[in-house]
Structures are given as C-alpha cells and as structure tokens.
Amino acid sequence: MWLRSVPRLRAPFLSASAPRLALGDRRVLEEPRQRIYLSRSLSSGDVKWLRPIDRESLLFHLVHNRGSRMGIFLMTLNSVNPLKTEDIERALFHLQRKNLAMRVDIRIRDDVWWFCEQDGYNVDFKMLSEGASSVEECRRMCERGFPDGATWKFRMIPRGKEAPCVMPEVKGDFPYQYDVLMTSHHALGDGLSVSLIVKRMVELLNDVILGRHVDDEVTSRFSSREECYEIESRITKMLEEDPQRHDYVRETMPDASPLLLRAFPRPSGNRVTTGYLTRIVDHEATQNFQRQCKAHGVTINGAFTAVINIAMARLVQKSGISQRSYRIASNHRVSVNRYLKQTPRDVMDGYPLYLSHISNITSDRVTSHFWEYAKEVNRELREGLTSELPFEQKMARLMAQPNLVEEWARNPPPVVHDYGITNIAHFPMPERRKDDQVMVTDVNSVAMVHKYIHMLLFLVLTVRGRCSYSLSYATDYFTDDTAILLADEVMSVYREVSEMKEA
C-alpha cells in the first residue's frame, strides 16, 4: 500500500552500522576501489553529548563519507599585506568560539550516532603553497567526508601580487591575493547559513589583523529541529486524512526519466564523479536582468528558473527532438526558515527541504513570449512555497518509503528531475570600512552531486553586482561537452531576455 504513516521524530536513535565509503576524483571526485570502514567511540569525558542524530543528518553524514553532497565555497580574498597564518588561525578560533554549530561533531556513542560539542577548539585549517591547485584541493577536502571529528574545513592558497583580479580597480590597495576554500557538514548548515559564516570570518580576520577587541557575543546557534518535526507530523496527519490532497501532492512530483537524457544519453563507462564549471555574467547584463524582473513582477529566482527551462528546451530542439511541448522537472532548494515561527533567526540549520516543479513548455515559448512564461513559473513556485508544498512533497515521499536512510545513502533512488537549483541570491559581503586589511573580490560555489538525488545542480548567487552560476554535474549522466553546451545555452538565453524591450 502506497500510503504509510511516518512516526513523529524528535531525536531518533539511529544506528551507526552503515558502511561509509571514501571517494576520490576525476575533475573533482571519482570513486576509488578501496572501501574504508570507520568505527569510533569516545567517552563522555572527551566531549559534551548533545543529542542522538536525526534522520536528515544521518543521511547527510553517510553520503558525505562517500564523497558526495558536500558543498564548497571558493572565495577570492585580497589583502593589503601578506597574510600571516597565525592571524587566520586566530580569526578561525574566534569564529568557532562565537558559533556553536562550528563546535559540533558527529560521533558514535554506544553504537548510535550522536551530535556532540568538541572539547576545545579545533578547526581543520591549512595554508597551502602558492602553486597548489584549487581543483585538486577541492578533491582532497571532499574525498573523505568528515570522519575525523572536524565538521568544517578551511584552506587558503596564496596567489601572489601578479595574479589577475576580477576587481582590478582594488588591486592597487589590496595587491595580495588568496584562494579560500571552505566546506562544512550539511547537517550543520545550508548554503545561506554557511555564506554568513564566511562573511563573519572575513570580518574577524580584519579585526584580528588590526588588533581590535573581539567580544563574546554568540552570532549563531545550533538547531534542535523540534519545530521541523512538529510540522512533519502535522503534514503527515493531514495527508493521511485527505486522500484527495495526497493524490494532488503526488502529481506535483516527477516520476519519469528526465527530458535531457532523451537528447543526450548517459555516457558509457564506469566513472562516477562530479564535474563542474562556472559562468559569470557581467555587471551590465546582471542589472538589465534584475530590471526586467522588477518590471514584470517576477522574482530573480523565478526568472532564472524560466531561463534554465527555456535553455533546456532549446537544447533538446537543437538535438533533433521536435515536439509540441517539453516537460521539464526542476527541484528547488527551499530554506526551512520560511515555515518556522518558534525557531530564532540566528539558528544555523541544514534541514533538507525541496520544492519539485514540473513545467510544460510549448514550442512557441521556446523561441518567444519569455516573460509571459516567466510570470507563470514565478506564480507556480510562489503558490507552492506559500502552501507548504515542499513539506507535503517530502512527507509523501517518506510515507511511500519510510526508514530507508541507509539504503538511500548506499543506493540512491533513480534521478527524476532534469536539474536542481540553489539560489543564494546576494552573497552577504562584509560592510566595507576604510581601514580594512582584507576584502572579498569573488565567490563561487560548487556541490558534489554524484550518487545523490541530482544529476545537474545549478548554484546561483550575485557577487558585487555580477550574477554567477556554477553547474555541477554527475559524469555518469553527462559528458563534459554536454555540460558546456547547457551552460552556454543558459548564458545565451539569460543575455537575450535581459536585452528584451519592456512591454
């Protein structure tokens, strides 16, 4: 029977018996041949035990330790003088001291995974040599997940005074340049939460270099998710009592093979990796796009979704598949904070919540009527968000297949979405002060998507007036050439609709 109840979860005791794999790399990650088993148990004297791990966090933990689902911020930092390793370590010490989530670890206690608070401060930070490769370091950061205690990783790579800068106008005052790579356990924070941590790290680094006093104010807390599970219980009960609504929710979720795979069959070979590429839209095109969104009453996220959908439909057309309409299914990362009333705003959380959206694009809209289509997509997304549809979809999936966390981690369900999208919008930059010693000049984001729920994931953000999006793709689904075709087509549509005359 499809409809099955899901018990209310507060802090479920979940076993640590599932095997964990460490993955290697092709461009970013590749599956190795060796299986690594981890087993660790600490006494209560080593750490402060917080609570048993919950369902969502266990899934992240198992998948992370297979090298997948990790997200990395790649930031460019420019400084007035060469940075001292001890200053960076001091800034990270304050960052961890002021943010409880950065002191949380996931460890085994009596054969059960628990959240615990580290005894002391221990950030996994390394200053690498100037010739180090950011791509290779991304691989090393992701290939083992978080098996050894630290749930945050920072790396810095000096690039020297001669390195090109995306903001050449500041190079004279901030001549020294560094690549900063940061990743965290997804159970502790989503992309937005972690972007705020990155912002605070830069602020603290400025304070440390200038010798400013750093106060004891706590700037973020660690979520208990009680309110999330209360919503889950309410939604589950509602779906059980309202079969008609339950059927409607099921119809909003895709259950077929993605459209792109018809035009671009999966590559042969056994490599299971994540590849990625990035596209940056210049300041003028970004402003034009935002202006068009405002004029048509469409959010940037809704319009960008429409851009991707049109680009995919065009790409399928160009491949020789001509039909009256094209069905494209997208999966949108949703911040759970929009549904929480009791949880304080300063709580960090990585609770996974998505909105599935199915769009049927008629042939005429592939070549024209873009903003009319964008309004339709925007309206559908807004209605889904305001009606709690993301929670309903999540619980409908769990009601169909409860208690499969470890199985999903080992053998993820078939991919049914054409792509996923995470939109951070405007990356939170530190407020500029005249005596700043460091400043952020560029930011990109990458996610490990292989062996998880997506075959393509767009990560969209705006940095200092420029839109940037990266495309992470599973190489057992797409070749590098296909990924490049898609990224270029998205860029082409973005520029085209940005320059349209307003109606």
Side-chain angles (χ1 to χ4, degrees), residues 186 232 242 263:
H186 237 301
E232 286 191 2
D242 188 348

Side-chain angles (χ1 to χ4, degrees), residues 77-91 94 156 174 178 201-214 433 435-439:
L77 200 65
N78 282 62
S79 63
V80 175
N81 297 299
L83 296 178
K84 299 176 181 178
T85 300
E86 55 266 31
D87 287 341
I88 301 166
E89 291 174 340
R90 190 66 183 171
H94 288 303
M156 293 190 72
F174 297 85
Y178 298 79
M201 187 270 286
V202 176
E203 292 170 340
L204 287 168
L205 182 54
N206 266 314
D207 290 340
V208 168
I209 293 173
L210 291 169
R212 295 193 184 108
H213 170 70
V214 179
R433 295 174 290 191
D435 58 352
D436 278 351
Q437 299 297 296
V438 295
M439 70 174 296

Side-chain angles (χ1 to χ4, degrees), residues 56 136 269 355:
E56 323 301 332
E136 288 300 311
L355 172 63

Side-chain angles (χ1 to χ4, degrees), residues 457-485:
L457 181 64
F458 286 88
L459 299 103
V460 186
L461 50 85
T462 302
V463 181
R464 299 197 182 281
R466 303 185 314 276
C467 174
S468 169
Y469 65 90
S470 67
L471 176 60
S472 296
Y473 56 98
T475 57
D476 56 328
Y477 280 91
F478 290 99
T479 65
D480 297 341
D481 290 342
T482 301
I484 292 171
L485 282 175

Side-chain angles (χ1 to χ4, degrees), residues 20-175:
R20 288 157 290 284
L21 303 178
L23 301 187
D25 173 61
R26 189 247 340 148
R27 166 95 165 128
V28 176
L29 289 177
E30 184 172 343
E31 185 174 15
R33 297 175 182 175
Q34 183 179 9
R35 184 182 301 243
I36 298 176
Y37 293 89
L38 302 171
S39 179
R40 181 180 52 182
S41 180
L42 299 180
S43 70
S44 59
D46 296 313
V47 297
K48 176 183 178 182
W49 300 105
L50 299 176
R51 65 176 187 274
I53 198 171
D54 57 83
R55 177 190 66 224
E56 323 301 332
S57 300
L58 176 65
L59 179 57
F60 277 136
H61 195 58
L62 298 180
V63 173
H64 283 343
N65 287 336
R66 300 179 74 228
S68 191
R69 196 53 185 96
M70 293 174 67
I72 298 181
F73 277 114
L74 299 93
M75 182 170 62
T76 303
L77 200 65
N78 282 62
S79 63
V80 175
N81 297 299
L83 296 178
K84 299 176 181 178
T85 300
E86 55 266 31
D87 287 341
I88 301 166
E89 291 174 340
R90 190 66 183 171
L92 293 176
F93 165 80
H94 288 303
L95 187 67
Q96 191 176 57
R97 180 174 63 85
K98 292 162 69 66
N99 295 275
L100 173 58
M102 294 191 66
R103 304 196 299 274
V104 171
D105 188 14
I106 298 175
R107 301 187 182 185
I108 296 173
R109 183 187 190 189
D110 299 328
D111 201 36
V112 172
W113 289 105
W114 275 66
F115 287 117
C116 59
E117 184 177 349
Q118 300 174 12
D119 181 17
Y121 302 99
N122 177 30
V123 176
D124 184 352
F125 166 71
K126 293 178 183 178
M127 175 71 81
L128 305 178
S129 61
E130 185 171 324
S133 165
S134 294
V135 171
E136 288 300 311
E137 193 56 32
C138 282
R139 175 191 64 80
R140 281 186 284 269
M141 292 172 72
C142 293
E143 64 183 0
R144 294 186 65 232
F146 299 97
D148 296 328
T151 50
W152 297 77
K153 301 180 184 182
F154 289 86
R155 301 289 184 269
M156 293 190 72
I157 304 174
R159 290 305 178 206
K161 296 179 68 173
E162 304 306 318
C165 180
V166 297
M167 295 178 63
E169 66 274 15
V170 307
K171 193 70 183 294
D173 294 330
F174 297 85

Side-chain angles (χ1 to χ4, degrees), residues 321-334:
I321 299 178
S322 180
Q323 53 195 53
R324 184 177 177 275
S325 65
Y326 300 90
R327 181 178 180 272
I328 295 177
S330 54
N331 203 25
H332 300 252
R333 181 70 168 88
V334 178

Side-chain angles (χ1 to χ4, degrees), residues 289-461:
F289 187 76
Q290 293 174 347
R291 196 159 35 239
Q292 290 277 21
C293 289
K294 186 175 181 180
H296 290 90
V298 176
T299 65
I300 293 175
N301 185 66
F304 202 95
T305 300
V307 165
I308 297 173
N309 289 352
I310 293 295
M312 286 190 170
R314 284 187 178 181
L315 208 57
V316 170
Q317 268 193 340
K318 291 177 180 179
S319 75
I321 299 178
S322 180
Q323 53 195 53
R324 184 177 177 275
S325 65
Y326 300 90
R327 181 178 180 272
I328 295 177
S330 54
N331 203 25
H332 300 252
R333 181 70 168 88
V334 178
S335 173
V336 72
N337 288 338
R338 68 167 52 241
Y339 302 109
L340 303 181
K341 299 177 181 178
Q342 305 166 21
T343 304
R345 297 293 94 180
D346 63 351
V347 166
M348 288 188 61
D349 193 16
Y351 180 87
L353 192 63
Y354 303 92
L355 172 63
S356 289
H357 176 254
I358 300 173
S359 182
N360 291 292
I361 308 174
T362 55
S363 298
D364 63 317
R365 284 181 170 175
V366 174
T367 55
S368 60
H369 309 293
F370 172 81
W371 287 104
E372 176 184 307
Y373 171 63
K375 288 180 181 179
E376 178 182 305
V377 171
N378 191 73
R379 174 182 55 78
E380 292 170 350
L381 292 174
R382 184 178 64 248
E383 289 175 353
L385 291 173
T386 55
S387 67
E388 292 188 317
L389 186 57
F391 264 109
E392 292 177 303
Q393 290 176 342
K394 177 169 187 169
M395 300 321 296
R397 285 190 294 266
L398 286 172
M399 291 162 70
Q401 296 177 306
N403 305 321
L404 291 182
V405 171
E406 295 182 2
E407 174 61 26
W408 282 353
R410 289 192 298 268
N411 185 27
V415 170
V416 293
H417 294 91
D418 287 273
Y419 68 95
I421 182 170
T422 295
N423 194 334
I424 297 176
H426 293 277
F427 191 86
M429 289 291 183
E431 184 178 346
R432 185 80 179 271
R433 295 174 290 191
K434 64 180 180 180
D435 58 352
D436 278 351
Q437 299 297 296
V438 295
M439 70 174 296
V440 178
T441 53
D442 197 18
V443 182
N444 284 300
S445 182
V446 175
M448 306 299 105
V449 297
H450 64 282
K451 288 198 169 183
Y452 198 56
I453 61 173
H454 294 128
M455 60 180 187
L456 293 169
L457 181 64
F458 286 88
L459 299 103
V460 186
L461 50 85

Side-chain angles (χ1 to χ4, degrees), residues 3-16:
L3 177 61
R4 297 177 66 180
S5 63
V6 177
R8 177 179 176 180
L9 294 177
R10 287 186 176 272
F13 287 78
L14 298 174
S15 170

